[in-house]
Amino acid sequence: MVAVTDEVATQLLGRRSSDDHETVRMLLSALRRSLAQEAIDDELYDDLEAVLGEHTYLAPYEIVLIAGRFRQATTTLVEIVPHLVRPYPVDEMRSLIYLSAQHSRPDGAHGHVRRFALAVLGILDLMGDDAS
């Protein structure tokens, strides 16, 4: 968090601003990308690759760690997708939330984390450029 003095705040608020449609559209787009970048980092893509990549083998402890990170990503995606995806992907988000709430038995953990990864990837695909 950054502290701003009264003098600086007054100076910033006194500046002229643009309210034309193009400027507002560009600002909104930049804010959306920023919001998505906070939620979607390289670690998420690494986890997706670890689960969905060719010739992958995950140890049980890795599955638990990745599923936990997918749950954290789900929480963030639930918050940002309404602002980034139109129309809202009801079925895809419902599936993601459902998978996030599940905790599978050890014998089904790999299949569960794979379905979870596919659901996360599906939402990222719907977000398009905002997800990168």
Side-chain angles (χ1 to χ4, degrees):
M1 186 169 168
V2 178
V4 177
T5 64
D6 289 339
E7 181 182 323
V8 172
T10 303
Q11 185 181 25
L12 290 172
L13 292 173
R15 288 185 180 173
R16 291 191 52 197
S17 62
S18 176
D19 62 356
D20 64 274
H21 182 70
E22 183 63 22
T23 302
V24 172
R25 187 188 63 74
M26 287 175 40
L27 178 61
L28 184 57
S29 177
L31 288 172
R32 286 177 174 164
R33 279 194 306 277
S34 175
L35 186 61
Q37 286 173 347
E38 287 180 24
I40 303 157
D41 56 10
D42 290 338
E43 186 177 33
L44 180 61
Y45 285 107
D46 291 344
D47 287 342
L48 290 168
E49 177 63 29
V51 173
L52 300 173
E54 198 172 337
H55 309 295
T56 61
Y57 171 78
L58 296 172
Y61 78 92
E62 292 174 306
I63 292 172
V64 171
L65 292 174
I66 289 173
R69 289 193 294 266
F70 284 166
R71 283 185 189 88
Q72 288 175 329
T74 298
T75 301
T76 306
L77 288 170
V78 164
E79 293 175 7
I80 67 171
V81 165
H83 304 287
L84 299 174
V85 181
R86 299 276 192 245
Y88 183 77
V90 174
D91 294 337
E92 292 86 349
M93 289 302 294
R94 184 178 294 139
S95 176
L96 180 65
I97 293 166
Y98 177 75
L99 288 164
S100 178
Q102 287 182 336
H103 294 272
S104 64
R105 296 189 322 250
D107 60 339
H110 190 266
H112 169 72
V113 79
R114 189 166 172 77
R115 288 186 300 276
F116 203 172
L118 288 169
V120 170
L121 187 60
I123 296 298
L124 295 179
D125 285 344
L126 291 171
M127 289 172 61
D129 290 340
D130 288 328
S132 33

